[in-house]
PDB file of all heavy atoms in Angstrom:
ATOM      1  N   ILE F   1      77.583   8.039  40.628  1.00 98.00           N
ATOM      2  CA  ILE F   1      76.798   6.840  40.288  1.00 98.00           C
ATOM      3  C   ILE F   1      75.324   7.097  40.728  1.00 98.00           C
ATOM      4  O   ILE F   1      74.382   6.876  39.894  1.00 98.00           O
ATOM      5  CB  ILE F   1      77.379   5.584  40.997  1.00 98.00           C
ATOM      6  CG1 ILE F   1      78.666   5.162  40.352  1.00 98.00           C
ATOM      7  CG2 ILE F   1      76.352   4.436  40.949  1.00 98.00           C
ATOM      8  CD1 ILE F   1      79.448   4.055  41.063  1.00 98.00           C
ATOM      9  N   VAL F   2      75.128   7.530  41.991  1.00 98.00           N
ATOM     10  CA  VAL F   2      73.688   7.569  42.538  1.00 98.00           C
ATOM     11  C   VAL F   2      72.974   8.676  41.794  1.00 98.00           C
ATOM     12  O   VAL F   2      71.662   8.722  41.772  1.00 98.00           O
ATOM     13  CB  VAL F   2      73.716   7.683  44.022  1.00 98.00           C
ATOM     14  CG1 VAL F   2      74.362   6.457  44.630  1.00 98.00           C
ATOM     15  CG2 VAL F   2      74.320   9.071  44.501  1.00 98.00           C
ATOM     16  N   THR F   3      73.611   9.676  41.258  1.00 98.00           N
ATOM     17  CA  THR F   3      72.910  10.736  40.535  1.00 98.00           C
ATOM     18  C   THR F   3      72.752  10.521  39.104  1.00 98.00           C
ATOM     19  O   THR F   3      72.111  11.321  38.317  1.00 98.00           O
ATOM     20  CB  THR F   3      73.643  12.111  40.756  1.00 98.00           C
ATOM     21  OG1 THR F   3      75.004  11.945  40.288  1.00 98.00           O
ATOM     22  CG2 THR F   3      73.663  12.527  42.246  1.00 98.00           C
ATOM     23  N   ASP F   4      73.143   9.385  38.638  1.00 98.00           N
ATOM     24  CA  ASP F   4      73.036   9.039  37.181  1.00 98.00           C
ATOM     25  C   ASP F   4      71.491   8.673  37.022  1.00 98.00           C
ATOM     26  O   ASP F   4      70.982   7.908  37.824  1.00 98.00           O
ATOM     27  CB  ASP F   4      73.869   7.758  36.835  1.00 98.00           C
ATOM     28  CG  ASP F   4      73.783   7.407  35.407  1.00 98.00           C
ATOM     29  OD1 ASP F   4      72.729   7.439  34.736  1.00 98.00           O
ATOM     30  OD2 ASP F   4      74.891   7.078  34.856  1.00 98.00           O
ATOM     31  N   PRO F   5      70.817   9.252  36.057  1.00 98.00           N
ATOM     32  CA  PRO F   5      69.365   8.935  35.892  1.00 98.00           C
ATOM     33  C   PRO F   5      69.114   7.504  35.758  1.00 98.00           C
ATOM     34  O   PRO F   5      67.973   7.033  36.085  1.00 98.00           O
ATOM     35  CB  PRO F   5      69.026   9.794  34.658  1.00 98.00           C
ATOM     36  CG  PRO F   5      70.027  10.853  34.589  1.00 98.00           C
ATOM     37  CD  PRO F   5      71.374  10.311  35.106  1.00 98.00           C
ATOM     38  N   ASP F   6      70.039   6.745  35.296  1.00 98.00           N
ATOM     39  CA  ASP F   6      69.790   5.329  35.103  1.00 98.00           C
ATOM     40  C   ASP F   6      70.041   4.466  36.319  1.00 98.00           C
ATOM     41  O   ASP F   6      69.930   3.287  36.270  1.00 98.00           O
ATOM     42  CB  ASP F   6      70.751   4.756  33.938  1.00 98.00           C
ATOM     43  CG  ASP F   6      70.174   5.210  32.524  1.00 98.00           C
ATOM     44  OD1 ASP F   6      69.016   5.467  32.418  1.00 98.00           O
ATOM     45  OD2 ASP F   6      71.034   5.298  31.673  1.00 98.00           O
ATOM     46  N   PHE F   7      70.338   5.114  37.425  1.00 98.00           N
ATOM     47  CA  PHE F   7      70.655   4.359  38.682  1.00 98.00           C
ATOM     48  C   PHE F   7      69.309   3.847  39.322  1.00 98.00           C
ATOM     49  O   PHE F   7      69.364   2.802  39.840  1.00 98.00           O
ATOM     50  CB  PHE F   7      71.396   5.301  39.648  1.00 98.00           C
ATOM     51  CG  PHE F   7      71.769   4.509  40.925  1.00 98.00           C
ATOM     52  CD1 PHE F   7      72.734   3.473  40.889  1.00 98.00           C
ATOM     53  CD2 PHE F   7      71.346   4.949  42.240  1.00 98.00           C
ATOM     54  CE1 PHE F   7      73.060   2.806  42.019  1.00 98.00           C
ATOM     55  CE2 PHE F   7      71.626   4.222  43.353  1.00 98.00           C
ATOM     56  CZ  PHE F   7      72.547   3.258  43.230  1.00 98.00           C
ATOM     57  N   HIS F   8      68.221   4.627  39.223  1.00 98.00           N
ATOM     58  CA  HIS F   8      66.948   4.224  39.787  1.00 98.00           C
ATOM     59  C   HIS F   8      66.994   3.795  41.175  1.00 98.00           C
ATOM     60  O   HIS F   8      66.456   2.654  41.550  1.00 98.00           O
ATOM     61  CB  HIS F   8      66.344   3.099  38.838  1.00 98.00           C
ATOM     62  CG  HIS F   8      66.055   3.616  37.485  1.00 98.00           C
ATOM     63  ND1 HIS F   8      64.876   4.359  37.197  1.00 98.00           N
ATOM     64  CD2 HIS F   8      66.592   3.436  36.302  1.00 98.00           C
ATOM     65  CE1 HIS F   8      64.911   4.725  35.870  1.00 98.00           C
ATOM     66  NE2 HIS F   8      65.867   4.107  35.331  1.00 98.00           N
ATOM     67  N   GLY F   9      67.725   4.506  42.067  1.00 98.00           N
ATOM     68  CA  GLY F   9      67.731   4.123  43.481  1.00 98.00           C
ATOM     69  C   GLY F   9      68.464   2.814  43.734  1.00 98.00           C
ATOM     70  O   GLY F   9      68.256   2.186  44.762  1.00 98.00           O
ATOM     71  N   GLY F  10      69.226   2.334  42.830  1.00 98.00           N
ATOM     72  CA  GLY F  10      69.985   1.029  42.920  1.00 98.00           C
ATOM     73  C   GLY F  10      69.204  -0.163  42.345  1.00 98.00           C
ATOM     74  O   GLY F  10      69.745  -1.175  42.336  1.00 98.00           O
ATOM     75  N   HIS F  11      67.989   0.103  41.834  1.00 97.00           N
ATOM     76  CA  HIS F  11      67.185  -0.968  41.266  1.00 97.00           C
ATOM     77  C   HIS F  11      67.211  -0.878  39.684  1.00 97.00           C
ATOM     78  O   HIS F  11      66.151  -1.092  39.079  1.00 97.00           O
ATOM     79  CB  HIS F  11      65.847  -0.980  41.817  1.00 97.00           C
ATOM     80  CG  HIS F  11      65.778  -1.295  43.276  1.00 97.00           C
ATOM     81  ND1 HIS F  11      66.175  -2.605  43.795  1.00 97.00           N
ATOM     82  CD2 HIS F  11      65.501  -0.510  44.388  1.00 97.00           C
ATOM     83  CE1 HIS F  11      66.006  -2.535  45.095  1.00 97.00           C
ATOM     84  NE2 HIS F  11      65.702  -1.268  45.505  1.00 97.00           N
ATOM     85  N   PHE F  12      68.280  -0.576  39.092  1.00 98.00           N
ATOM     86  CA  PHE F  12      68.403  -0.365  37.643  1.00 98.00           C
ATOM     87  C   PHE F  12      68.200  -1.641  36.885  1.00 98.00           C
ATOM     88  O   PHE F  12      67.796  -1.629  35.782  1.00 98.00           O
ATOM     89  CB  PHE F  12      69.701   0.279  37.286  1.00 98.00           C
ATOM     90  CG  PHE F  12      70.954  -0.289  37.888  1.00 98.00           C
ATOM     91  CD1 PHE F  12      71.548  -1.342  37.221  1.00 98.00           C
ATOM     92  CD2 PHE F  12      71.405   0.132  39.079  1.00 98.00           C
ATOM     93  CE1 PHE F  12      72.695  -1.935  37.739  1.00 98.00           C
ATOM     94  CE2 PHE F  12      72.583  -0.467  39.628  1.00 98.00           C
ATOM     95  CZ  PHE F  12      73.226  -1.523  39.007  1.00 98.00           C
ATOM     96  N   TYR F  13      68.412  -2.814  37.576  1.00 96.00           N
ATOM     97  CA  TYR F  13      68.277  -4.083  36.904  1.00 96.00           C
ATOM     98  C   TYR F  13      66.793  -4.231  36.360  1.00 96.00           C
ATOM     99  O   TYR F  13      66.559  -4.776  35.313  1.00 96.00           O
ATOM    100  CB  TYR F  13      68.529  -5.301  37.841  1.00 96.00           C
ATOM    101  CG  TYR F  13      69.820  -5.052  38.728  1.00 96.00           C
ATOM    102  CD1 TYR F  13      69.708  -4.761  40.008  1.00 96.00           C
ATOM    103  CD2 TYR F  13      71.041  -5.342  38.171  1.00 96.00           C
ATOM    104  CE1 TYR F  13      70.806  -4.597  40.824  1.00 96.00           C
ATOM    105  CE2 TYR F  13      72.181  -5.242  39.004  1.00 96.00           C
ATOM    106  CZ  TYR F  13      72.045  -4.881  40.344  1.00 96.00           C
ATOM    107  OH  TYR F  13      73.161  -4.727  41.054  1.00 96.00           O
ATOM    108  N   ARG F  14      65.904  -3.839  37.198  1.00 95.00           N
ATOM    109  CA  ARG F  14      64.407  -3.911  36.858  1.00 95.00           C
ATOM    110  C   ARG F  14      64.074  -3.128  35.628  1.00 95.00           C
ATOM    111  O   ARG F  14      63.093  -3.431  35.004  1.00 95.00           O
ATOM    112  CB  ARG F  14      63.562  -3.425  38.046  1.00 95.00           C
ATOM    113  CG  ARG F  14      63.788  -4.162  39.331  1.00 95.00           C
ATOM    114  CD  ARG F  14      62.984  -3.442  40.486  1.00 95.00           C
ATOM    115  NE  ARG F  14      63.253  -4.057  41.838  1.00 95.00           N
ATOM    116  CZ  ARG F  14      62.799  -3.609  42.945  1.00 95.00           C
ATOM    117  NH1 ARG F  14      62.019  -2.553  42.887  1.00 95.00           N
ATOM    118  NH2 ARG F  14      63.183  -4.217  44.047  1.00 95.00           N
ATOM    119  N   HIS F  15      64.900  -2.118  35.333  1.00 97.00           N
ATOM    120  CA  HIS F  15      64.571  -1.262  34.184  1.00 97.00           C
ATOM    121  C   HIS F  15      65.415  -1.585  33.015  1.00 97.00           C
ATOM    122  O   HIS F  15      65.272  -0.908  31.967  1.00 97.00           O
ATOM    123  CB  HIS F  15      64.851   0.255  34.596  1.00 97.00           C
ATOM    124  CG  HIS F  15      64.019   0.668  35.741  1.00 97.00           C
ATOM    125  ND1 HIS F  15      62.780   1.374  35.548  1.00 97.00           N
ATOM    126  CD2 HIS F  15      64.151   0.652  37.091  1.00 97.00           C
ATOM    127  CE1 HIS F  15      62.274   1.633  36.742  1.00 97.00           C
ATOM    128  NE2 HIS F  15      63.051   1.194  37.665  1.00 97.00           N
ATOM    129  N   GLY F  16      66.273  -2.563  33.081  1.00 97.00           N
ATOM    130  CA  GLY F  16      67.079  -3.049  31.919  1.00 97.00           C
ATOM    131  C   GLY F  16      68.129  -2.011  31.469  1.00 97.00           C
ATOM    132  O   GLY F  16      68.430  -1.975  30.330  1.00 97.00           O
ATOM    133  N   VAL F  17      68.520  -1.248  32.482  1.00 98.00           N
ATOM    134  CA  VAL F  17      69.612  -0.211  32.145  1.00 98.00           C
ATOM    135  C   VAL F  17      70.761  -0.325  33.106  1.00 98.00           C
ATOM    136  O   VAL F  17      70.740  -1.017  34.089  1.00 98.00           O
ATOM    137  CB  VAL F  17      69.003   1.232  32.168  1.00 98.00           C
ATOM    138  CG1 VAL F  17      67.963   1.398  31.105  1.00 98.00           C
ATOM    139  CG2 VAL F  17      68.475   1.561  33.605  1.00 98.00           C
ATOM    140  N   VAL F  18      71.879   0.330  32.794  1.00 98.00           N
ATOM    141  CA  VAL F  18      73.091   0.419  33.649  1.00 98.00           C
ATOM    142  C   VAL F  18      73.444   1.870  33.826  1.00 98.00           C
ATOM    143  O   VAL F  18      73.467   2.596  32.759  1.00 98.00           O
ATOM    144  CB  VAL F  18      74.191  -0.414  32.985  1.00 98.00           C
ATOM    145  CG1 VAL F  18      75.470  -0.186  33.810  1.00 98.00           C
ATOM    146  CG2 VAL F  18      73.807  -1.862  32.906  1.00 98.00           C
ATOM    147  N   PRO F  19      73.785   2.240  35.012  1.00 98.00           N
ATOM    148  CA  PRO F  19      74.118   3.712  35.200  1.00 98.00           C
ATOM    149  C   PRO F  19      75.587   3.937  34.691  1.00 98.00           C
ATOM    150  O   PRO F  19      76.527   4.162  35.491  1.00 98.00           O
ATOM    151  CB  PRO F  19      74.032   3.909  36.710  1.00 98.00           C
ATOM    152  CG  PRO F  19      74.207   2.598  37.259  1.00 98.00           C
ATOM    153  CD  PRO F  19      73.607   1.578  36.241  1.00 98.00           C
ATOM    154  N   LYS F  20      75.782   3.814  33.325  1.00 98.00           N
ATOM    155  CA  LYS F  20      77.101   3.797  32.811  1.00 98.00           C
ATOM    156  C   LYS F  20      77.807   5.134  33.044  1.00 98.00           C
ATOM    157  O   LYS F  20      79.069   5.198  33.210  1.00 98.00           O
ATOM    158  CB  LYS F  20      77.069   3.520  31.314  1.00 98.00           C
ATOM    159  CG  LYS F  20      76.816   2.001  31.043  1.00 98.00           C
ATOM    160  CD  LYS F  20      77.208   1.598  29.556  1.00 98.00           C
ATOM    161  CE  LYS F  20      77.282   0.145  29.420  1.00 98.00           C
ATOM    162  NZ  LYS F  20      77.791  -0.258  28.154  1.00 98.00           N
ATOM    163  N   ARG F  21      77.121   6.222  32.897  1.00 98.00           N
ATOM    164  CA  ARG F  21      77.749   7.530  33.018  1.00 98.00           C
ATOM    165  C   ARG F  21      78.375   7.698  34.403  1.00 98.00           C
ATOM    166  O   ARG F  21      79.560   8.127  34.480  1.00 98.00           O
ATOM    167  CB  ARG F  21      76.696   8.663  32.786  1.00 98.00           C
ATOM    168  CG  ARG F  21      77.353  10.085  32.822  1.00 98.00           C
ATOM    169  CD  ARG F  21      76.304  11.080  32.538  1.00 98.00           C
ATOM    170  NE  ARG F  21      75.391  11.311  33.666  1.00 98.00           N
ATOM    171  CZ  ARG F  21      74.402  12.147  33.596  1.00 98.00           C
ATOM    172  NH1 ARG F  21      74.112  12.907  32.553  1.00 98.00           N
ATOM    173  NH2 ARG F  21      73.673  12.326  34.724  1.00 98.00           N
ATOM    174  N   GLY F  22      77.660   7.309  35.464  1.00 98.00           N
ATOM    175  CA  GLY F  22      78.237   7.401  36.824  1.00 98.00           C
ATOM    176  C   GLY F  22      79.426   6.473  36.969  1.00 98.00           C
ATOM    177  O   GLY F  22      80.459   6.867  37.599  1.00 98.00           O
ATOM    178  N   LEU F  23      79.349   5.233  36.432  1.00 98.00           N
ATOM    179  CA  LEU F  23      80.405   4.273  36.488  1.00 98.00           C
ATOM    180  C   LEU F  23      81.657   4.823  35.793  1.00 98.00           C
ATOM    181  O   LEU F  23      82.779   4.663  36.297  1.00 98.00           O
ATOM    182  CB  LEU F  23      80.006   2.941  35.985  1.00 98.00           C
ATOM    183  CG  LEU F  23      79.191   2.057  36.932  1.00 98.00           C
ATOM    184  CD1 LEU F  23      78.576   0.870  36.146  1.00 98.00           C
ATOM    185  CD2 LEU F  23      80.073   1.490  38.055  1.00 98.00           C
ATOM    186  N   ARG F  24      81.455   5.397  34.666  1.00 97.00           N
ATOM    187  CA  ARG F  24      82.603   5.920  33.939  1.00 97.00           C
ATOM    188  C   ARG F  24      83.309   7.066  34.762  1.00 97.00           C
ATOM    189  O   ARG F  24      84.560   7.032  34.858  1.00 97.00           O
ATOM    190  CB  ARG F  24      82.107   6.615  32.567  1.00 97.00           C
ATOM    191  CG  ARG F  24      81.566   5.592  31.573  1.00 97.00           C
ATOM    192  CD  ARG F  24      81.255   6.317  30.277  1.00 97.00           C
ATOM    193  NE  ARG F  24      80.407   5.589  29.410  1.00 97.00           N
ATOM    194  CZ  ARG F  24      79.186   5.892  29.039  1.00 97.00           C
ATOM    195  NH1 ARG F  24      78.600   6.899  29.557  1.00 97.00           N
ATOM    196  NH2 ARG F  24      78.527   5.161  28.227  1.00 97.00           N
ATOM    197  N   ILE F  25      82.609   7.894  35.306  1.00 97.00           N
ATOM    198  CA  ILE F  25      83.177   8.992  36.040  1.00 97.00           C
ATOM    199  C   ILE F  25      83.870   8.430  37.229  1.00 97.00           C
ATOM    200  O   ILE F  25      85.057   8.855  37.677  1.00 97.00           O
ATOM    201  CB  ILE F  25      82.126  10.063  36.454  1.00 97.00           C
ATOM    202  CG1 ILE F  25      81.601  10.717  35.232  1.00 97.00           C
ATOM    203  CG2 ILE F  25      82.757  11.095  37.399  1.00 97.00           C
ATOM    204  CD1 ILE F  25      80.409  11.644  35.471  1.00 97.00           C
ATOM    205  N   ALA F  26      83.295   7.480  37.940  1.00 97.00           N
ATOM    206  CA  ALA F  26      83.862   6.862  39.119  1.00 97.00           C
ATOM    207  C   ALA F  26      85.185   6.199  38.813  1.00 97.00           C
ATOM    208  O   ALA F  26      86.199   6.390  39.534  1.00 97.00           O
ATOM    209  CB  ALA F  26      82.958   5.751  39.774  1.00 97.00           C
ATOM    210  N   ARG F  27      85.267   5.495  37.738  1.00 96.00           N
ATOM    211  CA  ARG F  27      86.497   4.902  37.277  1.00 96.00           C
ATOM    212  C   ARG F  27      87.544   5.929  36.889  1.00 96.00           C
ATOM    213  O   ARG F  27      88.707   5.692  37.123  1.00 96.00           O
ATOM    214  CB  ARG F  27      86.261   3.917  36.120  1.00 96.00           C
ATOM    215  CG  ARG F  27      87.399   2.997  35.788  1.00 96.00           C
ATOM    216  CD  ARG F  27      87.825   2.223  37.060  1.00 96.00           C
ATOM    217  NE  ARG F  27      88.826   1.181  36.641  1.00 96.00           N
ATOM    218  CZ  ARG F  27      89.333   0.299  37.571  1.00 96.00           C
ATOM    219  NH1 ARG F  27      89.116   0.477  38.870  1.00 96.00           N
ATOM    220  NH2 ARG F  27      90.119  -0.680  37.203  1.00 96.00           N
ATOM    221  N   MET F  28      87.130   6.963  36.174  1.00 96.00           N
ATOM    222  CA  MET F  28      88.124   8.019  35.838  1.00 96.00           C
ATOM    223  C   MET F  28      88.711   8.607  37.112  1.00 96.00           C
ATOM    224  O   MET F  28      89.933   8.862  37.155  1.00 96.00           O
ATOM    225  CB  MET F  28      87.393   9.110  34.957  1.00 96.00           C
ATOM    226  CG  MET F  28      87.021   8.611  33.631  1.00 96.00           C
ATOM    227  SD  MET F  28      85.829   9.710  32.755  1.00 96.00           S
ATOM    228  CE  MET F  28      86.908  11.076  32.339  1.00 96.00           C
ATOM    229  N   ILE F  29      87.954   8.904  38.090  1.00 95.00           N
ATOM    230  CA  ILE F  29      88.538   9.395  39.345  1.00 95.00           C
ATOM    231  C   ILE F  29      89.459   8.386  39.930  1.00 95.00           C
ATOM    232  O   ILE F  29      90.516   8.755  40.402  1.00 95.00           O
ATOM    233  CB  ILE F  29      87.347   9.743  40.296  1.00 95.00           C
ATOM    234  CG1 ILE F  29      86.465  10.834  39.818  1.00 95.00           C
ATOM    235  CG2 ILE F  29      87.903  10.049  41.707  1.00 95.00           C
ATOM    236  CD1 ILE F  29      85.152  10.994  40.597  1.00 95.00           C
ATOM    237  N   GLY F  30      89.073   7.178  39.926  1.00 93.00           N
ATOM    238  CA  GLY F  30      89.974   6.140  40.468  1.00 93.00           C
ATOM    239  C   GLY F  30      91.296   6.055  39.784  1.00 93.00           C
ATOM    240  O   GLY F  30      92.418   5.949  40.406  1.00 93.00           O
ATOM    241  N   HIS F  31      91.258   6.163  38.436  1.00 90.00           N
ATOM    242  CA  HIS F  31      92.546   6.070  37.748  1.00 90.00           C
ATOM    243  C   HIS F  31      93.486   7.206  38.021  1.00 90.00           C
ATOM    244  O   HIS F  31      94.685   7.087  37.915  1.00 90.00           O
ATOM    245  CB  HIS F  31      92.291   5.884  36.215  1.00 90.00           C
ATOM    246  CG  HIS F  31      92.231   4.354  35.758  1.00 90.00           C
ATOM    247  ND1 HIS F  31      93.410   3.667  35.467  1.00 90.00           N
ATOM    248  CD2 HIS F  31      91.254   3.511  35.672  1.00 90.00           C
ATOM    249  CE1 HIS F  31      93.072   2.452  35.202  1.00 90.00           C
ATOM    250  NE2 HIS F  31      91.804   2.319  35.325  1.00 90.00           N
ATOM    251  N   ILE F  32      92.923   8.336  38.156  1.00 92.00           N
ATOM    252  CA  ILE F  32      93.725   9.474  38.544  1.00 92.00           C
ATOM    253  C   ILE F  32      94.503   9.200  39.817  1.00 92.00           C
ATOM    254  O   ILE F  32      95.724   9.554  40.049  1.00 92.00           O
ATOM    255  CB  ILE F  32      92.872  10.758  38.697  1.00 92.00           C
ATOM    256  CG1 ILE F  32      92.296  11.148  37.355  1.00 92.00           C
ATOM    257  CG2 ILE F  32      93.702  11.887  39.317  1.00 92.00           C
ATOM    258  CD1 ILE F  32      91.304  12.248  37.380  1.00 92.00           C
ATOM    259  N   THR F  33      93.799   8.580  40.785  1.00 91.00           N
ATOM    260  CA  THR F  33      94.460   8.272  42.143  1.00 91.00           C
ATOM    261  C   THR F  33      95.434   7.024  41.996  1.00 91.00           C
ATOM    262  O   THR F  33      96.263   6.985  42.916  1.00 91.00           O
ATOM    263  CB  THR F  33      93.447   8.128  43.212  1.00 91.00           C
ATOM    264  OG1 THR F  33      92.761   6.790  43.060  1.00 91.00           O
ATOM    265  CG2 THR F  33      92.354   9.143  43.241  1.00 91.00           C
ATOM    266  N   TYR F  34      95.259   6.147  41.069  1.00 90.00           N
ATOM    267  CA  TYR F  34      96.088   4.960  41.046  1.00 90.00           C
ATOM    268  C   TYR F  34      97.426   5.280  40.380  1.00 90.00           C
ATOM    269  O   TYR F  34      98.443   4.612  40.650  1.00 90.00           O
ATOM    270  CB  TYR F  34      95.387   3.932  40.137  1.00 90.00           C
ATOM    271  CG  TYR F  34      94.034   3.469  40.636  1.00 90.00           C
ATOM    272  CD1 TYR F  34      93.112   2.857  39.803  1.00 90.00           C
ATOM    273  CD2 TYR F  34      93.686   3.506  42.047  1.00 90.00           C
ATOM    274  CE1 TYR F  34      91.907   2.494  40.287  1.00 90.00           C
ATOM    275  CE2 TYR F  34      92.519   3.123  42.448  1.00 90.00           C
ATOM    276  CZ  TYR F  34      91.561   2.597  41.600  1.00 90.00           C
ATOM    277  OH  TYR F  34      90.382   2.193  42.076  1.00 90.00           O
ATOM    278  N   LEU F  35      97.559   6.256  39.537  1.00 88.00           N
ATOM    279  CA  LEU F  35      98.763   6.546  38.720  1.00 88.00           C
ATOM    280  C   LEU F  35      99.570   7.642  39.490  1.00 88.00           C
ATOM    281  O   LEU F  35      98.974   8.528  40.041  1.00 88.00           O
ATOM    282  CB  LEU F  35      98.465   6.943  37.330  1.00 88.00           C
ATOM    283  CG  LEU F  35      97.798   5.959  36.458  1.00 88.00           C
ATOM    284  CD1 LEU F  35      97.556   6.557  35.035  1.00 88.00           C
ATOM    285  CD2 LEU F  35      98.664   4.703  36.320  1.00 88.00           C
ATOM    286  N   SER F  36     100.807   7.589  39.412  1.00 91.00           N
ATOM    287  CA  SER F  36     101.661   8.650  39.995  1.00 91.00           C
ATOM    288  C   SER F  36     101.791   9.849  38.990  1.00 91.00           C
ATOM    289  O   SER F  36     101.516   9.682  37.822  1.00 91.00           O
ATOM    290  CB  SER F  36     103.080   8.122  40.248  1.00 91.00           C
ATOM    291  OG  SER F  36     103.826   7.868  39.061  1.00 91.00           O
ATOM    292  N   ASP F  37     102.130  11.009  39.592  1.00 89.00           N
ATOM    293  CA  ASP F  37     102.284  12.192  38.699  1.00 89.00           C
ATOM    294  C   ASP F  37     103.349  11.884  37.675  1.00 89.00           C
ATOM    295  O   ASP F  37     103.176  12.329  36.456  1.00 89.00           O
ATOM    296  CB  ASP F  37     102.645  13.338  39.660  1.00 89.00           C
ATOM    297  CG  ASP F  37     102.825  14.659  38.895  1.00 89.00           C
ATOM    298  OD1 ASP F  37     101.893  15.025  38.106  1.00 89.00           O
ATOM    299  OD2 ASP F  37     103.912  15.226  38.922  1.00 89.00           O
ATOM    300  N   ASP F  38     104.443  11.245  38.053  1.00 89.00           N
ATOM    301  CA  ASP F  38     105.480  11.036  37.089  1.00 89.00           C
ATOM    302  C   ASP F  38     105.107  10.123  35.929  1.00 89.00           C
ATOM    303  O   ASP F  38     105.417  10.395  34.775  1.00 89.00           O
ATOM    304  CB  ASP F  38     106.755  10.429  37.775  1.00 89.00           C
ATOM    305  CG  ASP F  38     107.397  11.459  38.661  1.00 89.00           C
ATOM    306  OD1 ASP F  38     107.252  12.607  38.508  1.00 89.00           O
ATOM    307  OD2 ASP F  38     108.225  10.955  39.506  1.00 89.00           O
ATOM    308  N   VAL F  39     104.313   9.062  36.290  1.00 89.00           N
ATOM    309  CA  VAL F  39     103.913   8.171  35.223  1.00 89.00           C
ATOM    310  C   VAL F  39     102.909   8.872  34.296  1.00 89.00           C
ATOM    311  O   VAL F  39     102.977   8.653  32.979  1.00 89.00           O
ATOM    312  CB  VAL F  39     103.225   6.904  35.863  1.00 89.00           C
ATOM    313  CG1 VAL F  39     102.418   6.124  34.757  1.00 89.00           C
ATOM    314  CG2 VAL F  39     104.435   6.057  36.383  1.00 89.00           C
ATOM    315  N   MET F  40     101.979   9.627  34.799  1.00 90.00           N
ATOM    316  CA  MET F  40     101.064  10.322  34.001  1.00 90.00           C
ATOM    317  C   MET F  40     101.712  11.294  33.033  1.00 90.00           C
ATOM    318  O   MET F  40     101.406  11.395  31.859  1.00 90.00           O
ATOM    319  CB  MET F  40      99.984  11.091  34.814  1.00 90.00           C
ATOM    320  CG  MET F  40      99.037  10.147  35.580  1.00 90.00           C
ATOM    321  SD  MET F  40      97.789  11.002  36.454  1.00 90.00           S
ATOM    322  CE  MET F  40      96.627  11.483  35.110  1.00 90.00           C
ATOM    323  N   ASN F  41     102.691  12.052  33.550  1.00 91.00           N
ATOM    324  CA  ASN F  41     103.441  12.951  32.656  1.00 91.00           C
ATOM    325  C   ASN F  41     104.283  12.217  31.657  1.00 91.00           C
ATOM    326  O   ASN F  41     104.401  12.653  30.540  1.00 91.00           O
ATOM    327  CB  ASN F  41     104.371  13.858  33.548  1.00 91.00           C
ATOM    328  CG  ASN F  41     103.523  15.081  34.105  1.00 91.00           C
ATOM    329  OD1 ASN F  41     102.962  15.777  33.280  1.00 91.00           O
ATOM    330  ND2 ASN F  41     103.465  15.172  35.382  1.00 91.00           N
ATOM    331  N   GLN F  42     104.867  11.124  32.083  1.00 90.00           N
ATOM    332  CA  GLN F  42     105.735  10.364  31.145  1.00 90.00           C
ATOM    333  C   GLN F  42     104.932   9.735  29.968  1.00 90.00           C
ATOM    334  O   GLN F  42     105.276   9.730  28.804  1.00 90.00           O
ATOM    335  CB  GLN F  42     106.457   9.312  31.930  1.00 90.00           C
ATOM    336  CG  GLN F  42     107.417   8.455  30.976  1.00 90.00           C
ATOM    337  CD  GLN F  42     108.157   7.406  31.779  1.00 90.00           C
ATOM    338  OE1 GLN F  42     107.774   7.058  32.934  1.00 90.00           O
ATOM    339  NE2 GLN F  42     109.161   6.766  31.158  1.00 90.00           N
ATOM    340  N   LYS F  43     103.705   9.175  30.367  1.00 89.00           N
ATOM    341  CA  LYS F  43     102.939   8.571  29.378  1.00 89.00           C
ATOM    342  C   LYS F  43     102.128   9.478  28.477  1.00 89.00           C
ATOM    343  O   LYS F  43     101.905   9.244  27.262  1.00 89.00           O
ATOM    344  CB  LYS F  43     101.928   7.556  30.018  1.00 89.00           C
ATOM    345  CG  LYS F  43     102.550   6.388  30.736  1.00 89.00           C
ATOM    346  CD  LYS F  43     101.502   5.485  31.341  1.00 89.00           C
ATOM    347  CE  LYS F  43     100.585   4.826  30.370  1.00 89.00           C
ATOM    348  NZ  LYS F  43      99.629   3.858  30.968  1.00 89.00           N
TER     349      LYS F  43
END
């Protein structure tokens, strides 16, 4: 998130942007940890 160019040191609201790339990656990492190995393989 913080290395996304749209983060702007946490003041992205002032620039009318959202650090979407960083948020996407953060959520992808989260989902890997939320699911079990068996469920990921089954699905």
